[in-house]
Amino acid sequence: MLKAFIVDDEPLARDELKYLLLRSKQVEIVGEADCKEDALEQISSLRPDVVFLDIELAEDNGLELAKQLLTLNPTPVIVFATAYDEYALKSFELNAVDYILKPFNEKRIQQTLEKVHKMHRVPDENSPATPSSKPATPFGKIAVLIEERIVLIDCQEIAYLGSCEGKCAIKTLEREYKVCDSLTMLEKKLNLDQFIRVHRGFIVNIDHISEIQPWFNSTYNLIMKEGSSIPVSRTYVKDLKNLLGF
């Protein structure tokens, strides 16, 4: 059963969405709020699986709340539920799993719940429980904001992500992107079966590692297929060894 939280400043809209979610018999409504401050406090405490979030709140911006939710651990799946369709592209940047428009449609809600289940890997009640994982992009791409444009980058093409002096870069086989997101925020968007953090400032795509070179003080350097050398700090050596078996 999914645990859901609703953020909307319109009581009638909240009631309508609650009714449709409860009719699905797949959702437990654990809380609701009409403003950003109350929502953030309750969500941090209640730890819902999914947050249905309106964008235009009376005195707040739902997009700003979504950015704050991405810093939580565990991170809830975000579904924007709004009357405005002009924010759809912005939702990709915030890694929302879906974007539904008011007035709500029961069939459309059901489609959204199916997406949320896939993202959150919620087990069937009759199946053995398995640990849930962080939501990752369902499309094999990540959306990043670059010079006021939202760019979709194919995760298979990413060799590594790195940060230095407050800036973050995504290095692909063809080019390097300078992005506004922090490395921690980008990590939340990635499939962690494919990527691993090897240093405070680097996350690498394991499919693009060609060689592991021992370095001083029990550390290593990773030689990437595109030629870069990425350091592995002692903090992350054990994780790398467990993953690659050396």
Side-chain angles (χ1 to χ4, degrees), residues 115-173:
K115 288 184 179 181
V116 173
H117 273 282
K118 290 178 181 178
M119 287 288 287
H120 207 270
R121 298 181 185 178
V122 176
D124 183 273
E125 292 182 355
N126 296 321
S127 300
T130 57
S132 61
S133 62
K134 295 179 181 177
T137 173
F139 311 111
K141 299 177 184 291
I142 59 171
V144 293
L145 185 63
I146 302 174
E147 298 179 349
E148 304 302 321
R149 298 179 297 120
I150 295 175
V151 178
L152 296 178
I153 302 176
D154 191 334
C155 291
Q156 295 289 346
E157 296 294 311
I158 297 174
Y160 67 88
L161 307 89
S163 64
C164 181
E165 298 180 352
K167 297 182 180 179
C168 195
I170 300 175
K171 184 68 170 66
T172 69
L173 299 178

Side-chain angles (χ1 to χ4, degrees), residues 16 19-25 103-113:
E16 178 188 10
Y19 172 75
L20 293 175
L21 290 173
L22 292 174
R23 269 181 60 89
S24 73
K25 302 187 185 303
F104 302 122
N105 176 278
E106 187 168 9
K107 183 177 180 180
R108 184 68 180 84
I109 294 291
Q110 184 60 43
Q111 292 173 347
T112 296
L113 292 177

Side-chain angles (χ1 to χ4, degrees), residues 7 14 53 69 73 87 94 99 107 123 146 153 166 192 210:
V7 185
R14 291 201 306 271
L53 175 58
L69 295 180
N73 186 17
Y87 295 104
L94 296 169
Y99 189 99
K107 183 177 180 180
I146 302 174
I153 302 176
L192 298 185
S210 64

Side-chain angles (χ1 to χ4, degrees), residues 74-107:
T75 306
V77 172
I78 298 172
V79 174
F80 285 113
T82 180
Y84 303 91
D85 60 2
E86 63 264 33
Y87 295 104
L89 283 179
K90 190 70 173 177
S91 70
F92 279 103
E93 177 194 347
L94 296 169
N95 207 31
V97 67
D98 210 348
Y99 189 99
I100 55 178
L101 292 174
K102 301 175 182 178
F104 302 122
N105 176 278
E106 187 168 9
K107 183 177 180 180

